[in-house]
Amino acid sequence: MRILIIIWLLFFNNIFQLVGQEADSLLPKLSLLKIALINQSDSYVTFPIDVGNIEPLLFEANISPSFVIRKRKDSKMLALLTPQIIIRMYDEDSYPVKTPSYIPQLSIYYLLNKKTELDYSVLFGRLAHHSNGQDGEFYDENGSINLETGNFSTNFIEFGFLQTGYSNDLKAIKTIKNAIEIHPKYWMFKELPGIYSGLRWNSSFTSFKFPINKARNQERAKFSLKAETTVMLDNYNDLKFFDLDRINAKLTFYYHPSFLEDIGLFIQFYHGMDYYNIYFNHQIAVIRFGMMTEILRF
């Protein structure tokens, strides 16, 4: 009798272990590269139906491929070289593309700690350049900023911390970012100090929701949500410390339908300083729709 009981206990113990292993195998997996890609901007193109106070556009496109530099796949450190370009085509005569934003950057990620397959702590740093490829005078004769041919250029560094986790209830990966961005005075074009923020606190929360099924390795997240804020901390434009113009906020909701392989649809709300190079002096609030390519696969 005792032998039968022992056999039954061993049998059910093995069954429970197999069920647990199968459930774990269906969860998405993270890696240092995937976490790095989450922290990079995705490539997208907007539809010509923006709602807000931005100039009428045919589209805005962000071209942001990332080239990976690392010794091995299991390395605790890697770098991403990203030749990012943002382009706006305006809904005007001849549909001009005005002063694209060139933002080449080198980002380095270091794995600080890994508790589980979905719980990572990562340090990162970034060296970047932002310019518009123009060499004209910064101001027009009337004293306003020369948006057509005015020179805009700045270099900056960003360093911060990424923490990932997983919600069993939501079946979603979560990533939290906190970082400081610094534009040294002598790295800016001479007209920018005092009117362009050189010290910023960047934070974000990203969530990727997954269907749990056996084909997870061939799928992307069906839904993702990304909330981003930037707070300007230094003294510029004589703004009070608690002035709302110091805050940029962006909320992006992304949906990847099953019938589209490499692209998905997104809706985005943005409020704050215009990020399009020399247009920084504009405060915009816009709701936009478009297509996005998420290079992140699980």
Side-chain angles (χ1 to χ4, degrees), residues 106-110 123-127 157-160:
L106 177 66
S107 305
I108 298 176
Y109 294 84
Y110 176 74
L123 296 176
F124 79 94
R126 177 174 293 143
L127 174 64
I157 56 175
E158 182 185 12
F159 55 91

Side-chain angles (χ1 to χ4, degrees), residues 197 199-201 230-248:
S197 175
L199 180 62
R200 310 177 183 199
W201 171 33
T230 295
V231 181
M232 271 67 88
L233 300 175
D234 55 335
N235 182 25
Y236 77 105
N237 277 345
D238 297 323
L239 293 177
K240 295 180 180 179
F241 187 76
F242 293 104
D243 196 308
L244 289 179
D245 284 351
R246 289 181 173 273
I247 301 174
N248 299 339

Side-chain angles (χ1 to χ4, degrees), residues 3-286:
I3 295 176
L4 290 176
I5 294 174
I6 292 173
I7 292 173
W8 276 105
L9 289 175
L10 291 174
F11 174 76
F12 281 110
N13 182 59
N14 289 334
I15 291 295
F16 291 143
Q17 286 183 352
L18 288 173
V19 171
Q21 290 172 1
E22 183 177 358
D24 290 341
S25 69
L26 297 179
L27 293 176
K29 303 299 182 183
L30 275 177
S31 66
L32 181 60
L33 175 59
K34 291 175 181 178
I35 295 169
L37 293 175
I38 289 173
N39 194 44
Q40 300 293 119
S41 61
D42 293 299
S43 296
Y44 64 80
V45 60
T46 63
F47 301 142
I49 50 176
D50 294 338
V51 179
N53 64 343
I54 196 171
E55 295 90 342
L57 302 176
L58 283 184
F59 67 84
E60 177 181 295
N62 183 42
I63 305 168
S64 186
S66 291
F67 299 93
V68 183
I69 305 171
R70 61 182 173 182
K71 188 174 181 180
R72 300 186 311 270
K73 286 187 177 182
D74 60 347
S75 295
K76 296 186 67 174
M77 179 181 291
L78 64 80
L80 295 180
L81 182 62
T82 308
Q84 182 182 2
I85 301 174
I86 304 176
I87 300 171
R88 285 179 181 172
M89 178 175 282
Y90 289 79
D91 190 7
E92 301 175 1
D93 291 341
S94 77
Y95 306 117
V97 175
K98 298 181 181 179
T99 61
S101 280
Y102 304 98
I103 318 175
Q105 56 201 260
L106 177 66
S107 305
I108 298 176
Y109 294 84
Y110 176 74
L111 177 57
L112 189 65
N113 189 25
K114 175 185 175 182
K115 294 181 180 178
T116 68
E117 291 295 329
L118 295 170
D119 189 347
Y120 284 69
S121 300
V122 176
L123 296 176
F124 79 94
R126 177 174 293 143
L127 174 64
H129 169 80
H130 186 185
S131 67
N132 65 350
Q134 301 295 316
D135 61 358
E137 294 295 326
F138 188 81
Y139 291 108
D140 287 324
E141 292 181 357
N142 61 7
S144 61
I145 294 177
N146 176 11
L147 299 178
E148 297 297 324
T149 61
N151 188 343
F152 172 90
S153 178
T154 182
N155 300 288
F156 63 93
I157 56 175
E158 182 185 12
F159 55 91
F161 179 79
L162 297 166
Q163 181 65 51
T164 68
Y166 186 76
S167 171
N168 286 307
D169 294 331
L170 299 176
K171 300 298 186 290
I173 287 178
K174 302 174 293 182
T175 303
I176 297 174
K177 165 191 171 179
N178 277 291
I180 294 295
E181 180 181 318
I182 302 173
H183 300 243
K185 179 179 179 180
Y186 297 103
W187 286 12
M188 295 184 187
F189 184 64
K190 61 181 180 179
E191 305 290 351
L192 291 179
I195 62 173
Y196 187 81
S197 175
L199 180 62
R200 310 177 183 199
W201 171 33
N202 299 324
S203 61
S204 69
F205 170 81
T206 306
S207 178
F208 295 86
K209 184 170 177 59
F210 290 84
I212 300 301
N213 57 59
K214 294 182 179 180
R216 61 161 183 84
N217 286 325
Q218 285 72 44
E219 292 200 0
R220 303 182 184 206
K222 292 291 185 182
F223 302 96
S224 66
L225 177 72
K226 189 170 188 177
E228 303 168 85
T229 60
T230 295
V231 181
M232 271 67 88
L233 300 175
D234 55 335
N235 182 25
Y236 77 105
N237 277 345
D238 297 323
L239 293 177
K240 295 180 180 179
F241 187 76
F242 293 104
D243 196 308
L244 289 179
D245 284 351
R246 289 181 173 273
I247 301 174
N248 299 339
K250 183 193 296 184
L251 180 64
T252 305
F253 177 78
Y254 172 85
Y255 169 60
H256 181 225
S258 58
F259 59 87
L260 295 177
E261 182 177 355
D262 291 322
I263 61 174
L265 306 174
F266 75 90
I267 177 173
Q268 182 183 90
F269 169 77
Y270 178 82
H271 182 276
M273 178 191 77
D274 196 338
Y275 49 85
Y276 196 62
N277 56 70
I278 204 167
Y279 289 78
F280 67 89
N281 209 34
H282 295 176
Q283 285 287 319
I284 60 175
V286 61

